[in-house]
């Protein structure tokens, strides 16, 4: 039995317990949430429930209410013990006759879906969320023309948020072209929702993509454009300064890197309490010490980088909830330690982190692992360390 089937059996094990089994929302939102949790695409769910893909999209967008037979088929596919049938019946009793979409439940429900998908993406990587991200954006872009006024704008803005995260997941999957495509869609849909700030943040994303391509000139250029964009708010300027700092560090320009780090700290302080639209990771969750340590690593100031990583690990020994960030900074720490000859300590960190790296399957984390391998191979290693370095090299290649 695969994990999806196992999860469905677990839900159904309690028998017919009613709608309390289900996440909050109307039938369409609940359907999308359950599908996202299982990691099913619309096509996969269509196959399991024997319901057409078009029907599923109409249900999830709120354009159609389910018939009793369709509700029963969905209930059987998820193993919700009659809960979906009850929810569909409750929806029919209070059904509206208008053909327009009421955006309130759609937006609130899919915002919850997006939060859940981000939680899954942070802990397991892109492969379990990509299909759901694509199908939800299709649902939202189909629903938006059926709404009016501010409600239509709200749906377009939510579609933009899904597209922005789909771009990040594409980058994590090692597909920069697809990442750029989704980022451009996020800009277009954000504009239709009345938000121009996503255009500024898109430049930050493009800076990150350029950095991982090894094009530091383009990375710094995009970061500077983001910082100077008319719609940039303090959060976006902070992200831009961080990307600029890392770009300058890769080029070996310590002075420009330090200036960018100072701008980052200033914008983070300015962003506290900022209520303008939010894109990208929350700046208050960014650890300035780890970011500085990462820049020192790129500048090949291994001793300073190792000291900063060591100090932060002593100060915050608990691992963060974000497995991707945990793995990325752990590998950078190990690279710094290898750079100062502490290969035993470095290998201990990598050995403990390899299971996380395998689970999240992130192209950006694998790139960091490749940097560790490159540095570790400059040191004299024991047979056990050599085996770990070789295993890391194989995983870095993907």
């Amino acid at each position: 039995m695969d994990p999806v089937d196992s999860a469905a059996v677990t839900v159904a094990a309690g028998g017919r317990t009613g709608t309390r089994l289900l996440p909050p929302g109307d039938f369409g939102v609940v359907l999308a949430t359950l599908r996202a949790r299982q990691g099913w695409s619309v096509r996969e769910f269509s196959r399991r429930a024997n319901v057409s893909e078009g029907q599923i999209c109409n249900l999830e967008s709120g354009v159609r209410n389910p018939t009793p037979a369709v509700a029963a088929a969905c209930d059987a596919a998820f193993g919700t013990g009659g809960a979906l049938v009850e929810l569909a019946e409750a929806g029919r009793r209070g059904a509206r006759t208008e053909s327009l979409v009421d955006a309130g439940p759609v937006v609130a429900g899919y915002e919850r879906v997006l939060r859940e998908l981000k939680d899954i993406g942070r802990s397991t990587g892109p492969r379990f969320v990509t299909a759901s991200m694509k199908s939800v954006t299709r649902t939202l872009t189909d629903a938006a023309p059926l709404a009016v006024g501010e409600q239509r704008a709200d749906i377009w803005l939510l579609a933009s948020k899904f597209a922005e995260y789909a771009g990040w997941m594409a980058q994590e999957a090692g597909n920069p072209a697809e990442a750029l495509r989704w980022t451009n869609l996020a800009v277009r849909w954000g504009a239709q929702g009345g938000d121009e700030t996503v255009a500024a943040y898109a430049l930050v994303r493009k800076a990150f993509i350029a950095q991982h391509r090894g094009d530091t000139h383009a990375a710094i250029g995009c970061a500077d454009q983001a910082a100077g964009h008319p719609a940039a708010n303090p959060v976006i300027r902070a992200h831009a300064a961080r990307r600029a700092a890392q770009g300058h560090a890769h080029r070996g320009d310590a002075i420009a890197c330090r200036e960018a780090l100072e701008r980052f700290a200033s914008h983070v302080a300015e962003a506290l309490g900022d209520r303008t639209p939010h894109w990208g990771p929350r700046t208050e969750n960014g650890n300035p010490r780890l970011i500085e340590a990462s820049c020192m690593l790129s500048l090949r100031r291994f001793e300073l980088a190792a000291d900063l990583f060591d100090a932060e690990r002593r100060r915050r020994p608990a691992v963060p909830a974000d497995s991707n960030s945990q793995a990325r900074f752990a590998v950078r720490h190990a690279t710094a330690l290898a750079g100062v000859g502490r290969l035993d300590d470095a290998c201990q960190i990598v050995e403990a982190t390899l299971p996380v790296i395998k689970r999240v399957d992130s192209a950006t984390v694998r790139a960091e692992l490749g940097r560790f391998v490159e540095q570790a191979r400059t040191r004299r290693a024991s047979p056990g360390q050599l085996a770990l370095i070789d295993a890391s090299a194989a995983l870095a290649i993907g």
Side-chain angles (χ1 to χ4, degrees):
M1 181 178 297
D2 64 28
V4 169
D5 293 331
S6 176
V9 170
T10 301
V11 172
R16 185 181 177 82
T17 56
T19 56
R20 67 178 181 273
L21 276 172
L22 305 177
D26 62 16
F27 188 91
V29 169
V30 168
L31 208 64
T33 304
L34 292 174
R35 187 168 59 78
R37 288 177 179 178
Q38 301 287 41
W40 292 346
S41 64
V42 170
R43 177 174 296 179
E44 175 65 14
F45 180 36
S46 170
R47 183 186 67 79
R48 288 173 178 266
N50 197 27
V51 175
S52 74
E53 294 180 37
Q55 280 183 291
I56 292 170
C57 290
N58 285 337
L59 290 171
E60 292 190 357
S61 64
V63 173
R64 295 285 185 270
N65 289 317
T67 64
V70 168
C74 294
D75 189 82
F78 286 118
T80 45
L84 279 174
V85 174
E86 291 183 17
L87 183 63
E89 176 59 30
R92 280 191 293 276
R93 289 196 296 268
R96 295 165 52 104
T97 59
E98 296 93 334
S99 60
L100 297 178
V101 170
D102 180 1
V106 172
V107 171
Y110 281 111
E111 282 178 342
R112 287 193 294 270
V113 172
L114 181 57
R115 287 195 295 270
E116 291 209 14
L117 287 170
K118 285 186 174 183
D119 286 342
I120 295 169
R122 281 189 286 264
S123 60
T124 64
R127 63 188 180 278
F128 292 116
V129 300
T130 299
S132 293
M133 297 294 295
K134 290 180 178 179
S135 60
V136 171
T137 54
R138 176 183 171 186
T139 296
L140 291 171
T141 53
D142 285 347
L146 301 174
V148 294
E150 291 184 3
Q151 293 198 333
R152 176 180 293 185
D154 288 342
I155 295 179
W156 279 122
L157 186 56
L158 185 56
S160 178
K161 292 178 180 178
F162 270 90
E164 187 276 325
Y165 191 64
W168 170 240
M169 288 292 95
Q171 184 177 341
E172 286 294 275
N175 191 338
E178 184 74 352
L180 287 171
R181 187 182 75 84
W182 278 111
T183 300
N184 289 333
L185 285 173
V187 173
R188 184 196 310 169
W189 294 341
Q192 289 180 266
D195 180 10
E196 298 294 335
T197 58
V198 64
Y201 183 71
L203 290 165
V204 176
R205 171 60 49 74
K206 291 174 181 179
F208 198 8
I209 293 171
Q211 177 187 327
H212 279 270
R213 279 203 316 262
D215 189 347
T216 56
H217 179 76
I220 295 169
C222 288
D224 289 344
Q225 288 179 52
H229 194 283
N233 55 28
V235 172
I236 291 172
R237 286 193 291 270
H239 287 309
R242 174 181 177 178
R243 294 295 158 216
Q246 292 176 317
H248 288 302
H250 278 287
R251 294 179 69 177
D253 190 338
I255 295 175
C257 174
R258 176 58 60 187
E259 291 173 349
L261 286 172
E262 290 172 356
R263 291 197 303 274
F264 169 74
S266 175
H267 293 317
V268 168
E270 185 184 359
L272 294 176
D274 182 69
R275 297 184 180 276
T276 50
H278 170 75
W279 296 96
R282 296 199 173 276
T283 53
E284 61 267 27
N285 294 340
N287 188 314
R289 295 176 185 82
L290 292 179
I291 292 169
E292 181 183 4
S294 299
C295 288
M296 295 303 104
L297 179 61
S298 295
L299 286 166
R300 302 186 66 81
R301 296 185 176 181
F302 296 119
E303 187 170 356
L304 178 55
D307 288 345
L308 287 167
F309 280 124
D310 284 340
E312 192 57 26
R313 191 176 187 183
R314 287 193 297 270
R315 199 172 74 89
R316 295 185 181 182
V319 297
D322 185 342
S323 297
N324 187 296
S325 294
Q326 171 195 338
R328 187 164 60 252
F329 285 114
V331 175
R332 288 176 184 173
H333 187 184
T335 304
L337 292 171
V340 294
R342 292 168 56 186
L343 189 57
D344 190 50
D345 292 337
C347 287
Q348 287 182 25
I349 291 174
V350 170
E351 185 175 23
T353 309
L354 283 182
V356 179
I357 298 174
K358 292 175 183 177
R359 186 176 73 246
V360 299
D361 192 24
S362 157
T364 56
V365 175
R366 289 198 302 272
E368 296 292 345
L369 191 61
R371 293 172 69 190
F372 161 75
V373 170
E374 180 181 347
Q375 187 59 43
R377 281 181 168 163
T378 66
R379 303 293 174 177
R380 184 185 298 274
S382 68
Q385 291 168 344
L386 284 172
L388 178 69
I389 294 167
D390 289 342
S392 299
L395 185 55
I397 295 171

